[in-house]
């Protein structure tokens, strides 16, 4: 019914929008949100290939979904540490605009 | 006994609502990167994540859809909203949302998306309908037999992230 290319088009669109946000948002938490979009795009890609292409890995046909569980877990870990870093920097410099955090700049 | 016109109508509606859901997801993603107000950005991220969870339902990944809602929308988004509330001047109308490199970033992101799309469009033989239905038993059995090592390493990563975050964000005493 729905070709694989259409699902991949949605995943590519999410990836491009997330990449644009990660490169151009001024706010550090905005950058974190765009990174979550990037990870979601890859997870959607994995699940789509799992659903459309039958394969026979060792553990049954659920390799794509299993890796997606790991991607979701690692995204959670990344968001946790990223937010802790942002909080620490905010406490120090009272700003979270990525343009104004340049303490290491010469 | 469902009448055939109802079956056709429901299958057409399911087909159409897939594209509607994809469009809502992409619009939510655009809202994440373009709005000035950080809280609105977090809400648009919730829309995008819920859209992706709905797309998982189309791809016969029901457990992943529920896990996505619970973990991403329920935990990670709540964490992001916490961060927004604790740090930002949320509704500052004078600060633009995007930095000076926004046009170059759009060019790079658009270029990479175009390259990916050319790669996908040039691949022959991509199937037109999903064929694999993964049972929850297969998923669970795989996690504790074949993929047990990454599973345990993931829990170690999460413990490390938790402890590290507490150490980083602790008030200096």
């Amino acid at each position: 019914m729905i070709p694989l290319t259409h699902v991949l088009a949605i995943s590519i669109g999410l990836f491009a929008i997330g990449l644009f946000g990660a490169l151009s948002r001024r706010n550090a938490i905005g950058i974190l949100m765009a990174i979550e979009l990037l990870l979601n795009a890859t997870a959607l890609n994995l699940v789509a290939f799992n659903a459309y292409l039958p394969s026979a890995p060792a553990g049954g046909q659920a390799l794509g979904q299993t890796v997606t569980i790991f991607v979701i877990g690692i995204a959670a870990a990344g968001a946790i540490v990223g937010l802790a870093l942002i909080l620490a920097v905010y406490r120090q410099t009272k700003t979270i605009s990525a343009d104004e955090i340049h303490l290491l700049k010469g | 006994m469902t009448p055939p016109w109802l079956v056709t109508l429901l299958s057409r509606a399911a087909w159409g609502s897939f594209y509607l859901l994809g469009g809502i997801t992409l619009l939510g993603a655009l809202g994440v990167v373009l709005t000035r107000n950080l809280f609105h950005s977090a809400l648009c991220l919730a829309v995008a994540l819920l859209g992706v969870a709905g797309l998982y339902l189309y791809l016969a990944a029901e457990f992943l859809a529920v896990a996505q809602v619970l973990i991403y929308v329920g935990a990670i988004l709540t964490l992001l909203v916490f961060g927004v509330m604790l740090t930002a001047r949320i509704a500052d109308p004078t600060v633009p949302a995007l930095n000076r490199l926004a046009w170059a970033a759009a060019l790079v992101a658009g270029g990479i998306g175009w390259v990916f799309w050319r790669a996908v469009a040039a691949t022959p033989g991509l199937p037109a309908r999903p064929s694999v239905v993964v049972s929850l038993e297969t998923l669970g059995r795989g996690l504790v037999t074949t993929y047990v090592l990454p599973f345990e390493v993931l829990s170690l990563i999460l413990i490390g992230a938790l402890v590290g975050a507490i150490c980083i964000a602790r008030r200096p005493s």
Side-chain angles (χ1 to χ4, degrees):
Chain A
M1 272 195 318
I2 297 168
L4 177 58
T5 46
H6 295 191
V7 186
L8 289 183
I10 296 178
S11 148
I12 290 173
L14 267 177
F15 189 82
I17 294 173
L19 187 60
F20 167 64
L23 290 176
S24 68
R25 284 286 287 190
R26 207 178 270 266
N27 213 308
I29 297 186
I31 298 178
L32 253 180
M33 292 189 206
I35 292 177
E36 294 303 321
L37 277 179
L38 284 172
L39 287 162
N40 263 289
T42 57
L44 182 62
N45 212 349
L46 286 164
V47 174
F49 274 108
N50 191 8
Y52 278 81
L53 296 174
S55 60
Q61 290 195 346
L63 181 56
Q65 294 193 12
T66 310
V67 177
T68 308
I69 292 178
F70 299 144
V71 165
I72 293 179
I74 291 182
I80 291 170
V81 176
L83 262 161
L85 283 170
I86 290 176
L87 267 171
V89 171
Y90 176 76
R91 201 173 286 137
Q92 191 77 22
T93 60
K94 286 295 176 273
T95 179
I96 58 168
S97 169
D99 296 338
E100 299 171 12
I101 304 173
H102 47 69
L103 291 170
L104 285 177
K105 199 170 172 181
Chain B
M1 287 297 297
T2 46
W5 60 268
L6 188 57
V7 172
T8 320
L9 180 67
L10 286 177
S11 68
R12 292 258 173 85
W15 176 86
S17 53
F18 172 82
Y19 293 103
L20 187 65
L21 199 57
I24 290 176
T25 307
L26 288 173
L27 277 177
L30 274 175
V32 171
V33 305
L34 291 178
T35 43
R36 189 168 292 182
N37 188 335
L38 258 188
F39 192 65
H40 291 173
S41 192
L43 292 179
C44 290
L45 184 64
V47 167
L49 296 174
L50 287 172
V52 172
L55 289 174
Y56 285 163
L57 287 176
Y58 271 95
L59 300 170
E62 296 91 0
F63 172 71
L64 270 176
V66 175
Q68 166 97 356
V69 174
L70 280 177
I71 299 177
Y72 256 117
V73 183
I76 297 183
L77 194 75
T78 311
L79 195 61
L80 283 170
V81 169
F82 262 100
V84 166
M85 291 300 184
L86 280 176
T87 58
R89 300 177 292 272
I90 322 175
D92 197 348
T94 60
V95 178
L98 307 171
N99 59 20
R100 288 185 329 246
L101 301 171
W103 288 108
L107 219 61
V108 167
I112 287 185
W114 181 79
V115 166
F116 284 162
W117 175 246
R118 292 307 308 157
V120 165
T123 310
L126 289 178
R129 32 179 60 242
S131 57
V132 178
V133 175
V134 172
S135 69
L136 189 55
E137 186 203 347
T138 315
L139 202 56
R141 193 178 289 271
L143 275 177
V144 296
T145 53
T146 318
Y147 307 115
V148 64
L149 180 60
F151 188 50
E152 300 300 333
V153 169
L154 178 66
S155 52
L156 277 178
I157 288 177
L158 284 170
I159 291 178
L162 266 169
V163 172
I166 293 177
C167 286
I168 293 174
R170 195 175 47 171
R171 283 196 185 279
S173 55

